[in-house]
Amino acid sequence: AAKDQGRNCRHYFTISMQEAALTRMRLINDLRNALVERQFWLAYQPIVELTTGFIHKAEALIRWQHPTRGLISPADFIPVAETTGMIIDIGEWVFREAAQQAAQWRTKHHNEFQISINKSPVQFQKEDNGHLAWFEHLRELGLPGESVVIEITEGLLMDAGALITGQLLAFRDAGIQVSLDDFGTGYSSLSYLKKFDIDYLKIDQSFTRNLSPDANDLALCEAIIVMAHKLGIKVIAEGIETQEQCDLLMAAGCDYGQGYLFSKPVAAGEFEKLLGAG
Ligand code: C2E
Ligand code: MG
Ligand code: MG
Ligand code: MG
């Protein structure tokens, strides 16, 4: 019986592995068409200045409206886009779309409006000086570098060689700011906070989720905020869902908040209403 079971097991795994491979292949194929078929759009989530409630910043978050599967989360397709290299073209699209939107909102709503764009480590691996085209594009739009923030993760800094370091410096020289995303979930080595010039640090939502006056997570948030401020870095707390979390973070001196308490990521038209109200 044990032998039969073993055979069944193998059979089962073979089929499910085939299915997984097939699903992945379909996803890759569909992803190849998504750009030309214009199936991507950007959602914008406000980054709120906690002491004033002002909305002068937003994070652009990609959305994929699949023709048959509906809305697919970036968590499900960004990793595939990264391993296949498709993130390069997708990333270019995100940048252009977000920059153009920022230019509009700068003129119409707030002349210091800033757009945050997630940049994958894969986008830093090309030696084609692609970032120079970004600067050129900003010039064409009449956007100063300060209107763009790139969000990177700890992993990028962890194995940053000359290529990555050089690009980060070029971004800074162009006035573009840098935000360290998902802080606390990676290697959280403090040495690169010293080594790289970082403007914003985003406390990961896994810390804000369980905030309460007596939780260890509050102590961690407080410590991160004090440390960041001493280094001249502003802090953004991600994933704020309740007023209590917001109050605790404000009391801890956190500069900005982002989360469902203020707004979910929304389409451009919807976001514009938030700007109008703020
Ligand atoms: P991220 O950059 O850390 O973005 C924050 C994520 O948290 C977003 O998920 C956002 O919708 C979600 N979020 C915001 N507030 C709350 C809250 O109060 N509660 C909860 N539970 N979640 C909240 P989203 O849009 O699904 O994006 C997931 C990840 O996909 C992003 O994490 C980012 O790493 C990646 N991503 C999204 N857009 C892009 C893009 O244009 N390029 C690249 N390379 N990556 C992207
Ligand atoms: Mg981000
Ligand atoms: Mg994050
Ligand atoms: Mg993330």
Side-chain angles (χ1 to χ4, degrees), residues 47-52 200-204 208 211 218 221-226 228-229 233-240 245-258 262:
I47 296 173
V48 181
E49 188 174 57
L50 290 179
T51 50
T52 59
Y200 302 96
L201 189 154
K202 298 186 86 168
I203 301 181
D204 190 69
T208 41
L211 275 187
L218 179 59
C221 287
E222 287 168 343
I224 292 173
I225 293 165
V226 169
H229 284 170
I233 300 171
K234 299 256 189 220
V235 181
I236 302 170
E238 292 193 284
I240 301 183
Q245 293 165 346
C246 184
D247 292 342
L248 290 168
L249 285 160
M250 262 184 84
C254 186
D255 305 284
Y256 299 91
Q258 188 181 345
F262 310 108

Side-chain angles (χ1 to χ4, degrees), residues 127-196:
E127 292 191 58
D128 64 351
N129 285 324
H131 54 285
L132 298 181
W134 282 34
F135 305 157
E136 180 57 32
H137 190 66
L138 292 183
R139 266 194 297 278
E140 280 164 22
L141 288 170
L143 276 178
E146 293 78 37
S147 55
V148 175
V149 181
I150 49 168
E151 298 199 2
I152 58 169
T153 48
E154 296 169 86
L156 180 79
L157 302 184
M158 173 89 177
D159 13 82
L163 180 64
I164 290 166
T165 309
Q167 287 181 61
L168 284 172
L169 279 173
F171 274 107
R172 293 204 57 85
D173 284 345
I176 292 173
Q177 299 194 314
V178 176
S179 193
L180 193 51
D181 206 354
D182 304 337
F183 187 77
T185 57
Y187 313 92
S188 304
S189 156
L190 302 180
S191 63
Y192 47 60
L193 289 182
K194 194 176 67 177
K195 188 167 163 210
F196 298 95

Side-chain angles (χ1 to χ4, degrees), residues 45 59 62-63 74 94 118 181-182 205 238-239 241 259-260 265:
Q45 189 176 34
E59 178 173 7
I62 195 167
R63 297 291 178 261
V94 169
N118 294 283
D181 206 354
D182 304 337
Q205 39 189 291
E238 292 193 284
E241 294 187 358
Y260 296 169

Side-chain angles (χ1 to χ4, degrees), residues 61-123:
L61 294 156
I62 195 167
R63 297 291 178 261
W64 180 13
Q65 189 65 49
H66 188 280
T68 54
R69 291 176 57 188
L71 205 58
I72 302 182
S73 157
D76 292 327
F77 71 85
I78 291 289
V80 176
E82 287 177 330
T83 51
T84 55
M86 283 189 265
I87 191 69
I88 302 286
D89 288 342
I90 295 173
E92 286 301 310
W93 178 83
V94 169
F95 169 69
R96 280 162 184 263
E97 180 76 15
Q100 192 207 311
Q101 193 55 259
Q104 263 184 44
W105 288 336
R106 273 216 160 207
T107 350
K108 223 169 134 187
H109 291 281
H110 196 280
N111 58 13
E112 281 176 18
F113 181 80
Q114 238 183 0
I115 193 77
S116 260
I117 299 168
N118 294 283
K119 195 165 184 209
S120 155
V122 177
Q123 292 174 271

